C-alpha cells in the first residue's frame, strides 16, 4: 500500500476509535455514537489521505535530491571467470526431426 493510503487508514481508525471511546464514556445513545464514529471515520480518512499525499511528495523530492546523478553504480564481481561469455545454449526448438517424440492423447 502506498504511504497516503496507510496514513489515511491509520488516522481514520485512531480518530473513530477515540470517538467511540468518548461516546461510551459519556453514555450517549447508540445511534448517536455510530453516527459520530462514521462521520469521524470518513472525515479523518479524507484528511489522512491529503496529508499522505503531501508527505509522499515531500519524501519523493528528498529521495530525488539524495540520489547521486551521473555516477556509474554498476557492480562487477572479480570472481567472474567467464567474463562476458554466454553459456552454451542447450535449447533446441521443435523441428521436423523431433516430431517422433510427441505423443497425442485424447480425453
Amino acid at each position: 500500500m502506498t504511504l497516503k493510503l496507510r496514513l489515511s487508514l491509520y488516522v481514520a481508525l485512531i480518530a473513530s476509535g477515540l470517538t467511540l471511546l468518548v461516546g461510551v464514556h459519556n453514555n450517549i445513545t447508540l445511534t448517536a455514537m455510530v453516527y459520530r464514529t462514521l462521520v469521524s471515520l470518513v472525515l479523518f480518512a479524507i484528511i489522512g489521505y491529503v496529508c499522505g499525499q503531501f508527505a509522499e511528495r515531500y519524501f519523493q523530492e528528498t529521495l530525488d535530491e539524495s540520489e547521486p546523478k551521473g555516477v556509474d553504480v554498476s557492480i562487477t564481481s572479480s570472481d567472474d571467470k567467464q567474463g562476458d561469455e554466454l553459456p552454451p545454449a542447450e535449447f533446441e526448438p521443435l523441428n521436423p526431426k523431433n516430431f517422433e517424440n510427441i505423443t497425442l492423447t485424447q480425453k
Side-chain angles (χ1 to χ4, degrees), residues 4 7 20 26 30-31 34 43 46 55 66 68 86:
K4 57 187 165 193
L7 187 65
L20 191 63
N26 290 330
L30 183 62
T31 55
V34 170
L43 287 177
I46 293 170
S66 64
L86 295 176

Side-chain angles (χ1 to χ4, degrees), residues 51-69:
C51 290
Q53 197 157 2
F54 285 122
E56 270 189 354
R57 285 183 187 171
Y58 173 74
F59 288 131
Q60 188 64 35
E61 288 176 3
T62 56
L63 288 175
D64 289 343
E65 289 175 0
S66 64
E67 183 178 308
K69 296 179 181 173

Side-chain angles (χ1 to χ4, degrees), residues 90-101:
E90 296 176 6
F91 173 74
E92 293 181 11
L94 187 63
N95 54 26
K97 66 181 179 183
N98 292 338
F99 281 148
E100 65 231 12
N101 297 334

Side-chain angles (χ1 to χ4, degrees), residues 17-29 32-33 36-37:
L18 289 175
T19 304
L20 191 63
L21 286 175
V22 169
V24 169
H25 180 68
N26 290 330
N27 296 327
I28 63 171
T29 61
M33 194 176 352
R36 290 177 183 180
T37 303

